[in-house]
Amino acid sequence: MKNVDLVIIGGGPAGLAAAVAARKNGVQDILILERDSELGGILNQCIHNGFGLHTFKEELTGPEYAARFIAQVQELGIEYKLNTMVLDLAADKTVTAMNKSDGLFQLHPKAVILAMGCRERPRGALNIPGYRPAGIFTAGTAQRLVNMEGYLPGRRVVILGSGDIGLIMARRMTLEGAKVLCVAELMPYSGGLKRNIVQCLDDFDIPLKLSHTVVDIQGKERVTGITIAQVENGKPIPGTEEHYDCDTLLLSCGLLPENELSRAAGVALSPITGGPSVNESLETNIPGVFAAGNVLHVHDLVDYVSEEAGAAGEHAAAYILKGEHAAGRTLPVRCENGVRYTVPTAIRPDCAGDTVTLRFRVGGVYKNKKIAVYLGDTCIFSRRRPVLAPGEMETVRLKADLLRGAGDAVTVTLEEG
Ligand SMILES: Cc1cc2nc3c(=O)[nH]c(=O)nc-3n(C[C@H](O)[C@H](O)[C@H](O)COP(=O)(O)OP(=O)(O)OC[C@H]3O[C@@H](n4cnc5c(N)ncnc54)[C@H](O)[C@@H]3O)c2cc1C
């Protein structure tokens, strides 16, 4: 097997954008390894529109968005292997992978970009009481069945969880002729984008039941009914049960970054995001191993995945071509007052370019607040936000010069607006 300078694990939007950026920044030998039979990742099953408004200033479907990056990868002559599963990543960056034609093979690249995406939280991780009949799917599995394989998984549907995939599937199942009875959400707010609540639920009169969860699943061979109940302090309130006759339960209860390979390699993971802890260059604790996209933290819009992955590709190129940067001072990034996490979790001002991009999510719904960023006691950024919600990722761009002042940590916080 010919060796390469850069291996990218995963050929979804993150892997594609990272590859394009690395090539444009001078890396010749790049190999994308993708376990699926085509490039594009999860976008291949997202046939609705709404992708690319930021990147291309037009509304594309998921496959159209992916196709633009696949075309760039092909035009730039970047190599990729499909149907190729990466089985192991070692701390010294040895990549072990396998496919039908090459068998088991190893690569020893100078740098690796983790772009494995995420997977959905399954029923087993949700502790829902009741039998285990047929008719319970994750929303993403239902999306694949309907959009790619041509099957309608059910006719009367209850959806648990109001993440974006659940909202999108409420509309898709309705358009395909199924009756979506309700979307139940444990939290007092939706986990999805506001625009998806309006376009996928409100426009189709599908009720969103906040602070509700499934307390029983009926049916032995196939789901015959679902009981939901209102929830207070995480517990169902007796007497609030509502029954729905249905044949299908779709679960849209969160995405988990796919980091088995990272963990085995010794990449430090954030307990909040489940993704690698990275510095301003999106580099993990293993020098030369970078991460981007949903493997790093779950994104709301694919445009931000592409932007972030482009940056990872650039930094990986700098690492390959110029070697490790003398790090200098490292500032940890702390979260306060409702900010749940940030990416990155550390900034080395001497390694930053002109700006450092911070992405984060909040832990609840906040109105009329100000996002403020401090270096030590000095406020270096502030912006008013009328509404902040957990379903929407926030982005802050800091001028790197301001990070070179006095102070031993960066704090991201919410203040009264
Ligand atoms: C089911 C589902 C539906 C979604 N629907 C929407 C939507 O409608 N709209 C929206 O904006 N966002 C949606 N998202 C979010 C979407 O995932 C991101 O916007 C974007 O696709 C993330 O890009 P990515 O490259 O990080 O991950 P992915 O698109 O998931 O790509 C990761 C790639 O890595 C590959 N891979 C993983 N492990 C290995 C391995 N060991 N070896 C080789 N290859 C590997 C996978 O096969 C996959 O192709 C959805 C996510 C999921 C999980």
Side-chain angles (χ1 to χ4, degrees):
M1 178 77 48
K2 170 180 150 250
N3 224 337
V4 293
D5 286 335
L6 175 62
V7 167
I8 298 175
I9 309 177
L16 296 170
V20 168
R23 169 59 58 82
K24 287 184 176 167
N25 282 275
V27 184
Q28 286 313 308
D29 288 329
I30 302 173
L31 181 60
I32 304 172
L33 299 175
E34 168 55 54
R35 67 183 171 192
D36 211 338
S37 55
E38 53 194 334
L39 295 173
I42 213 81
L43 289 188
N44 289 323
Q45 66 182 57
C46 302
I47 62 169
H48 54 280
N49 58 357
F51 296 88
L53 283 168
H54 297 262
T55 312
F56 298 111
K57 310 284 176 257
E58 51 182 313
E59 246 190 289
L60 304 171
T61 63
E64 284 171 335
Y65 184 95
R68 301 243 172 144
F69 280 91
I70 294 170
Q72 288 186 60
V73 162
Q74 290 169 340
E75 277 158 24
L76 291 166
I78 297 170
E79 282 185 52
Y80 55 87
K81 284 183 184 288
L82 301 175
N83 300 306
T84 304
M85 179 83 182
V86 175
L87 301 172
D88 187 56
L89 172 66
D92 67 355
K93 301 193 276 277
T94 300
V95 176
T96 307
M98 173 150 166
N99 64 29
K100 277 191 193 163
S101 48
D102 301 302
L104 189 73
F105 62 92
Q106 285 196 323
L107 297 158
H108 304 279
K110 292 180 185 154
V112 172
I113 298 180
L114 307 171
M116 293 90 79
C118 60
R119 61 167 178 262
E120 296 172 285
R121 188 168 278 129
R123 176 181 175 180
L126 293 171
N127 292 330
I128 306 172
Y131 287 107
R132 295 181 169 257
I136 305 173
F137 304 86
T138 63
T141 302
Q143 190 178 47
R144 186 175 174 99
L145 286 171
V146 174
N147 293 352
M148 292 182 80
E149 298 181 19
Y151 295 106
L152 189 62
R155 301 220 164 259
R156 287 178 64 81
V157 184
V158 169
I159 300 179
L160 175 63
S162 61
D164 287 314
I165 311 168
L167 300 176
I168 297 279
M169 281 314 289
R171 177 175 64 184
R172 170 61 53 206
M173 295 293 285
T174 307
L175 292 173
E176 297 296 335
K179 173 78 184 158
V180 178
L181 301 162
C182 78
V183 175
E185 167 59 59
L186 179 70
M187 303 306 284
Y189 47 80
S190 164
L193 291 169
K194 180 80 185 151
R195 75 172 197 206
N196 283 337
I197 296 171
V198 174
Q199 293 172 7
C200 302
L201 300 189
D202 298 353
D203 286 359
F204 294 89
D205 291 327
I206 299 169
L208 171 61
K209 296 200 163 260
L210 298 175
S211 302
H212 277 72
T213 194
V214 171
V215 290
D216 193 29
I217 299 170
Q218 294 100 34
K220 280 200 175 165
E221 298 297 320
R222 171 88 200 191
V223 172
T224 56
I226 299 289
T227 306
I228 66 168
Q230 208 178 327
V231 174
E232 199 174 54
N233 299 327
K235 289 201 173 140
I237 307 172
T240 62
E241 294 85 0
E242 288 171 60
H243 174 80
Y244 292 92
D245 284 330
C246 60
D247 55 24
T248 303
L249 173 66
L250 299 190
L251 304 171
S252 175
C253 301
L255 299 169
L256 307 167
E258 184 101 37
N259 275 299
E260 281 66 26
L261 294 174
S262 326
R263 193 176 290 112
V267 170
L269 301 179
S270 152
I272 311 285
T273 60
S277 300
V278 292
N279 61 27
E280 76 302 318
S281 303
L282 303 170
E283 189 179 27
T284 68
N285 58 312
I286 302 183
V289 176
F290 299 80
N294 277 3
V295 80
L296 180 54
H297 59 135
V298 174
H299 291 63
D300 50 0
L301 296 177
V302 72
D303 305 70
Y304 301 139
V305 169
S306 306
E307 186 193 300
E308 182 180 87
E314 252 178 67
H315 293 301
Y319 178 89
I320 290 165
L321 301 173
K322 300 181 199 153
E324 229 172 302
H325 204 293
R329 191 162 69 117
T330 299
L331 303 167
V333 184
R334 297 183 183 140
C335 311
E336 276 182 6
N337 292 337
V339 177
R340 269 190 72 226
Y341 74 84
T342 62
V343 171
T345 50
I347 299 172
R348 300 166 305 168
D350 294 343
C351 303
D354 295 339
T355 55
V356 172
T357 303
L358 273 182
R359 296 194 163 91
F360 69 91
R361 286 186 195 249
V362 292
V365 177
Y366 296 92
K367 294 204 168 146
N368 299 320
K369 294 278 180 188
K370 210 165 62 180
I371 299 169
V373 181
Y374 287 84
L375 172 62
D377 296 330
T378 311
C379 183
I380 55 170
F381 176 93
S382 103
R383 184 173 68 211
R384 285 215 164 76
R385 293 286 282 129
V387 183
L388 294 121
E392 321 239 344
M393 201 173 74
E394 299 290 332
T395 303
V396 160
R397 293 187 213 281
L398 301 173
K399 288 200 178 98
D401 279 349
L402 297 178
L403 291 161
R404 298 194 177 107
D408 55 8
V410 173
T411 306
V412 186
T413 185
L414 301 184
E415 297 178 341
E416 288 310 316

